[in-house]
Amino acid sequence: MHLPPAAAIGLLLLLLPPPAAVTSRTPTMCQRCRALVDKFNQGMANTARKNFGGGNTAWEEKTLSKYEFSEIRLLEIMEGLCDSSDFECNQLLEQQEEQLEAWWQTLKKEYPNLFEWFCVHTLKACCLPGTYGPDCQECQGGSERPCSGNGHCNGDGSRHGDGSCQCHVGYKGPLCIDCMDGYFSLSRNETYSSCTACDESCKTCSGPTNKDCVECEVGWTRVEDACVDVDECAAETPPCSDGQYCENVNGSYTCEECDSTCVGCTGKGPANCKECISGYSKQNGECADIDECSLAEKVCKKENENCYNTPGSFVCVCPDGFEETEDACVQTAEGEVAEENPTQPPSHEDL
């Protein structure tokens, strides 16, 4: 059976699997727990000394003491924890409401840090800072200063990751205590290291200046006791093409286009042309347009023909009221009548 093209395409679309839905990255259990605790702590701050502040101080202290640990205050806090549209937050709150009530009523004084009690020890969703993984092991370098303070512990504070160090710029090694190439150690002991960038001329160094280079960076060379820039533009064979000039920069060079009036050049602008293109000549040290119309020898050979200079060239045009023949501009009948009016030069568009 042969289907018409449109029907065949429709059938093919029906047979193809539907495109995968684009899903946003859902928060981890630890992130959900931490967000809930943050809102709970904010609720405690918002309800502290609520509706008090002036009057009978003794009565306030007695009443405040009751309100501080009351179910009324807990209810006010719980009501503000989740937005109605936040499904994950509401789901977690529904599942753990009794745990939060128990902490509020009997455990708050013994375990004042709600995050540690709820997220770390009760739900086992997170780890304390400086620890990682299912068993909350210490990060590389210890929980007090993971990665020697020079990197990030993979999985820090979560039940995930492998505890390896992801070093900050300038540091390397399992504990981020060694300096990368291009950096040197400013100070260091068994648990602490501070690395600082070398001079730009150094690939490796022992100090901050170009005289402290152990090895020069590409584009630099050692002269006596220091690394200095190589002037690639001074090479015997120029690195740029004939229509370009070379600009030296630290550690490298750039090739820039010559001025449009040049045939080869040594730098920027018409003053640095090696030679001039046709229609231009050196005048006062730079390539300038030749006014062919002002030369002693006429460039427009036909009788009555007008010459007009253009950049790099010229045009020969018969005046208004004249028509061009093989060897002259001949006045027409209309031109004789118009001869009383001065001839206007042709416009730029006419040229």
Side-chain angles (χ1 to χ4, degrees):
M1 178 177 69
H2 295 285
L3 294 173
I9 294 173
L11 179 61
L12 178 61
L13 292 174
L14 288 173
L15 295 175
L16 289 173
V22 178
T23 56
S24 58
R25 185 178 178 184
T26 56
T28 64
M29 184 60 179
C30 179
Q31 290 170 330
R32 291 165 56 196
C33 187
R34 187 185 293 276
L36 189 68
V37 167
D38 287 344
K39 288 186 176 180
F40 198 103
N41 289 332
Q42 184 60 52
M44 290 178 64
N46 292 342
T47 56
R49 301 188 66 85
K50 183 179 180 182
N51 299 323
F52 298 93
N56 190 325
T57 305
W59 178 86
E60 282 189 6
E61 289 179 355
K62 180 180 178 181
T63 308
L64 182 60
S65 178
K66 292 180 181 178
Y67 174 77
E68 184 179 0
F69 301 100
S70 68
E71 290 189 9
I72 295 175
R73 186 184 181 197
L74 174 62
L75 181 61
E76 291 176 355
I77 295 171
M78 299 278 269
E79 286 177 345
L81 291 182
C82 300
D83 295 331
S84 58
S85 60
D86 192 339
F87 173 77
E88 286 85 5
C89 180
N90 283 289
Q91 183 184 49
L92 179 60
L93 181 59
E94 183 180 349
Q95 294 169 347
Q96 304 300 329
E97 188 172 354
E98 291 183 3
Q99 294 278 21
L100 291 171
E101 289 176 356
W103 176 81
W104 178 264
Q105 293 169 356
T106 61
L107 300 170
K108 185 164 61 168
K109 287 187 177 180
E110 185 178 355
Y111 303 102
N113 188 323
L114 178 58
F115 170 77
E116 185 174 342
W117 175 83
F118 185 54
C119 298
V120 177
H121 299 305
T122 303
L123 297 188
K124 300 188 184 303
C126 304
C127 292
L128 290 174
T131 62
Y132 74 96
D135 301 319
C136 293
Q137 297 171 268
E138 285 193 341
C139 291
Q140 295 290 329
S143 60
E144 293 297 320
R145 292 184 73 250
C147 307
S148 309
N150 299 323
H152 173 73
C153 167
N154 182 263
D156 191 351
S158 76
R159 296 275 170 164
H160 305 286
D162 60 8
S164 62
C165 288
Q166 299 166 337
C167 300
H168 298 327
V169 174
Y171 297 88
K172 66 177 183 178
L175 297 178
C176 301
I177 204 167
D178 300 318
C179 297
M180 292 174 54
D181 284 355
Y183 291 79
F184 69 96
S185 180
L186 193 62
S187 59
R188 175 173 176 166
N189 57 33
E190 292 182 358
T191 60
Y192 172 81
S193 175
S194 175
C195 296
T196 302
C198 298
D199 184 82
E200 63 177 335
S201 64
C202 305
K203 184 175 182 180
T204 57
C205 68
S206 59
T209 74
N210 66 338
K211 293 186 176 182
D212 297 311
C213 299
V214 175
E215 183 180 359
C216 294
E217 186 58 87
V218 174
W220 306 77
T221 188
R222 189 172 296 281
V223 176
E224 296 180 355
D225 60 346
C227 288
V228 297
D229 175 49
V230 174
D231 185 357
E232 293 85 357
C233 299
E236 185 175 344
T237 301
C240 300
S241 68
D242 291 342
Q244 297 175 320
Y245 65 94
C246 182
E247 284 276 6
N248 188 57
V249 295
N250 283 346
S252 187
Y253 66 94
T254 60
C255 292
E256 307 291 342
E257 296 299 320
C258 292
D259 188 83
S260 60
T261 63
C262 299
V263 177
C265 64
T266 57
K268 182 179 181 180
N272 288 297
C273 297
K274 292 180 179 178
E275 295 180 17
C276 301
I277 62 172
S278 176
Y280 287 79
S281 65
K282 285 278 187 176
Q283 299 176 31
N284 299 320
E286 64 180 50
C287 287
D289 175 49
I290 298 171
D291 184 357
E292 291 86 354
C293 298
S294 64
L295 297 177
E297 183 180 350
K298 291 182 63 175
V299 291
C300 294
K301 306 294 186 182
K302 294 181 180 181
E303 185 181 355
N304 298 323
E305 195 172 37
N306 290 335
C307 178
Y308 297 99
N309 188 56
T310 62
S313 188
F314 63 95
V315 292
C316 298
V317 179
C318 288
D320 288 343
F322 287 74
E323 63 180 4
E324 185 178 2
T325 64
E326 185 175 344
D327 56 3
C329 291
V330 180
Q331 191 173 37
T332 63
E334 293 81 359
E336 292 177 0
V337 175
E339 193 175 20
E340 299 175 2
N341 299 321
T343 303
Q344 298 296 323
S347 65
H348 177 73
E349 288 78 8
D350 294 333
L351 298 179

